[in-house]
Amino acid sequence: MDTKLKGDIAEQAAILEGLKRSWNVLQPVGDRLSYDIVYEIEGSFLRIQVKSAWFDETRKNWVIDTRRTKTNRRQMVRDSYSEQDFDFALVYIDELNVFYIFPVSVFIGYASEIHLVESDKRQRKPQSALYRNAWNLLSHWAVHREICV
């Protein structure tokens, strides 16, 4: 499965999850914006960047590139996101049907990749575990416009 298709699946999963939560979901036309969908929650609009994770066999963890990728016919350019680009990043692990919900400030705080460990065999949970299926962050932000983690 190519990365574009995996991204499309992740976006559709995020749309479905929003609808199941009775949120309004808006999807921009084209892919020129720095966010993929918008959730309307309690009258607030949250810009959502959706990412799909892939499994790294060598490290035995899930990986997400935290940079944007711009392509044209001749070249692919990677660039960092900024705090103004979106409000939350939703990282989807299709094989596990799991989302990680990262506030933009946390997401862009990673250099170029986030590695997610989906194993109970660790003695200490990784920092990213705070964001596993943390849908409450979106609802809280929509009402209070602040992140509490």
Side-chain angles (χ1 to χ4, degrees):
M1 188 178 319
D2 68 29
T3 56
K4 256 322 208 190
L5 180 55
K6 284 186 67 88
D8 290 344
I9 291 168
E11 281 183 33
Q12 294 306 309
I15 289 169
L16 181 60
E17 189 64 38
L19 293 172
K20 285 180 179 180
R21 294 172 181 280
S22 299
W23 298 338
N24 292 324
V25 181
L26 296 84
Q27 192 169 24
V29 174
D31 60 358
R32 297 175 310 282
L33 300 175
S34 55
Y35 52 91
D36 297 307
I37 61 174
V38 175
Y39 288 145
E40 182 189 6
I41 306 170
E42 303 286 329
S44 292
F45 293 90
L46 287 78
R47 298 165 303 152
I48 307 295
Q49 172 57 236
V50 180
K51 295 284 187 178
S52 179
W54 69 91
F55 192 71
D56 183 336
E57 285 290 341
T58 310
R59 295 180 178 164
K60 302 293 184 213
N61 61 23
W62 298 90
V63 183
I64 307 94
D65 192 335
T66 61
R67 301 166 295 176
R68 75 173 88 217
T69 304
K70 296 178 184 176
T71 58
N72 63 26
R73 292 182 185 160
R74 294 192 177 93
Q75 66 182 17
M76 179 172 70
V77 177
R78 295 195 189 277
D79 193 14
S80 298
Y81 288 105
S82 75
E83 290 232 13
Q84 291 72 41
D85 287 332
F86 53 88
D87 302 308
F88 287 88
L90 269 58
V91 174
Y92 185 59
I93 302 175
D94 182 30
E95 292 81 350
L96 305 176
N97 194 30
V98 169
F99 280 95
Y100 282 77
I101 294 89
F102 292 101
V104 64
S105 59
V106 173
F107 187 79
I108 66 173
Y110 288 87
S112 61
E113 291 181 343
I114 300 174
H115 292 262
L116 303 171
V117 178
E118 281 288 318
S119 171
D120 292 332
K121 295 180 181 180
R122 291 179 58 120
Q123 288 181 328
R124 189 171 53 110
K125 288 203 178 286
Q127 184 72 19
S128 60
L130 293 170
Y131 304 101
R132 189 179 195 278
N133 288 323
W135 294 99
N136 59 315
L137 292 178
L138 299 174
S139 300
H140 186 272
W141 189 86
V143 173
H144 301 286
R145 291 288 201 183
E146 60 187 35
I147 301 298
C148 292
V149 177

